[in-house]
Amino acid sequence: MDAKWQQLKDWMEACENIVFFGGAGVSTESGIPDFRSENGIFAAVNAYGYQPEVILSHSFFSAHPEIFFQYYKKNLLYPNAKPNDCHKALADLEKIGKLRSVITQNIDDLHQKAGSKVVHELHGTLYRNFCIDCGKTFDLDYVTKDEGITRCDRCGGMVRPDVVLYEEGLDEDTIRKAVDDIAKADLLIVGGTSLNVYPAAGFLQYFRGKHLVLINKSETPFDHRADLVIRDNIAQVMRAVVPEV
């Protein structure tokens, strides 16, 4: 085994309170593109005449719901994606009592599908949807029946995904739980994220534990603060260092 992988494995075996903080790179092995790479979702040319960050904003959703719904249903939904070895390894790590929680910036529900029970979704999830007028909730199947605006079957209001759009704030309770877990962790593993998106990236400042490990294919602003930096495929790394349960 690679020396860095072995070091991570040794630390995981020695620590009893591990937290994993992940981003889009965790799910690319499952066929879900990230957002900002050259092949990412935001790099794709769209036919709407607006930047993706604009379309996925609260003000645009309110002003142009038809375009918003068409764009997000076409570009953000991957209902057939399956958990990869990173998701599975983290679920196994939780089963053996080592992992306190997963903190994710992703909105694809793959950690839960892999079996993880404690998942703090900083940006929400596409698998929960709610009527903005009456609050009734809906699953993904309900909103994928057509490409246009999804309407509530009770009051006719628009049904939007329970995700954090641009211009919206993160859920305060989710923030509190994530920060608390990071502050109490003795090993924090950060993977598949460039750590350029705030406020989420700022959560790392609360870590006071023994070891900070970064697993990402490209450089991050926090590399110099890490005790260990691994540039390899995160799914391969995590499956190699976590015993299958």
Side-chain angles (χ1 to χ4, degrees), residues 141-233:
D141 289 338
Y142 183 86
V143 305
T144 55
K145 294 177 181 178
D146 56 56
E147 297 180 353
I149 298 174
T150 301
R151 294 287 181 182
C152 176
D153 60 5
R154 181 165 66 190
C155 74
M158 285 194 295
V159 176
R160 60 161 284 180
D162 190 8
V163 297
V164 180
L165 301 176
Y166 287 97
E167 302 169 352
E168 295 179 341
L170 304 186
D171 178 73
E172 292 187 4
D173 186 56
T174 303
I175 292 176
R176 179 185 58 78
K177 291 177 180 177
V179 168
D180 186 61
D181 283 358
I182 288 174
K184 293 177 179 177
D186 47 15
L187 171 60
L188 176 60
I189 304 171
V190 181
T193 173
S194 64
L195 293 174
N196 286 318
V197 177
Y198 283 81
F203 292 177
L204 270 64
Q205 67 180 306
Y206 296 98
F207 179 64
R208 298 291 185 269
K210 298 177 181 177
H211 310 294
L212 171 61
V213 178
L214 300 184
I215 309 174
N216 198 54
K217 290 183 177 180
S218 59
E219 184 179 355
T220 81
F222 288 81
D223 284 7
H224 68 286
R225 295 177 51 183
D227 300 295
L228 181 65
V229 176
I230 299 175
R231 290 273 186 259
D232 299 317
N233 179 292

Side-chain angles (χ1 to χ4, degrees), residues 99-111:
L99 186 71
R100 183 183 187 92
S101 66
V102 170
I103 302 168
T104 182
Q105 300 175 79
N106 296 336
I107 54 178
D108 52 40
D109 224 36
L110 290 181
H111 286 293

